[in-house]
Amino acid sequence: MQLNEPPPGGFLVSEIWNLMHIKNLTKRIPPKNKPRSRPLPKASEKYLQAYERLKEILDQMEMKIEEYFHFKSTKHCLFDLHLIEYRVLIELADINMGRAKAWLKA
């Protein structure tokens, strides 16, 4: 067995050996593949009802709207509605949804 070959064994042994070999060569720990962010919370029934009701009202008023508006593709902002004529962005927030909870407490 040479130094560049992993020891005999299963997948886990060779995987651990690869990580140790990379660490010894580069003096750095390789990045982890596990995502660090949590998935977004699910929309509640109250939020969905409010969203549909607002859309109905804006349709009755014959306002031009754009749904799920990204104003810049590189930003991680996503607004629920964009009133095109008035240049207004609307974000509906449920009390139990993500950052809205912290904003309402402050």
Side-chain angles (χ1 to χ4, degrees):
M1 183 171 88
Q2 294 180 345
L3 291 176
N4 294 337
E5 292 181 15
F11 173 75
L12 185 59
V13 172
S14 64
E15 194 65 31
I16 292 172
W17 185 86
N18 285 338
L19 291 175
M20 290 172 50
H21 187 66
I22 290 170
K23 184 179 177 185
N24 288 337
L25 290 176
T26 63
K27 306 295 185 215
R28 292 183 180 181
I29 299 173
K32 295 180 181 178
N33 294 335
K34 183 179 175 186
R36 295 182 184 191
S37 61
R38 292 184 294 160
L40 293 173
K42 302 281 185 199
S44 68
E45 189 64 34
K46 289 165 72 175
Y47 169 82
L48 295 173
Q49 288 174 355
Y51 182 76
E52 290 299 321
R53 180 74 178 127
L54 182 60
K55 267 181 41 180
E56 287 174 14
I57 292 170
L58 293 174
D59 286 340
Q60 288 174 358
M61 295 173 68
E62 298 177 356
M63 289 186 165
K64 295 179 184 175
I65 62 170
E66 187 177 353
E67 296 180 39
Y68 302 114
F69 177 73
H70 254 300
F71 63 88
K72 198 169 187 181
S73 62
T74 58
K75 299 289 182 184
H76 296 288
C77 297
L78 180 68
F79 290 91
D80 293 325
L81 293 169
H82 173 218
L83 303 180
I84 298 169
E85 296 170 351
Y86 298 98
R87 295 182 182 176
V88 173
L89 297 170
I90 298 175
E91 175 69 28
L92 297 176
D94 188 1
I95 275 221
N96 298 322
M97 287 181 62
R99 295 183 189 150
K101 194 174 186 180
W103 288 340
L104 290 173
K105 284 184 179 179

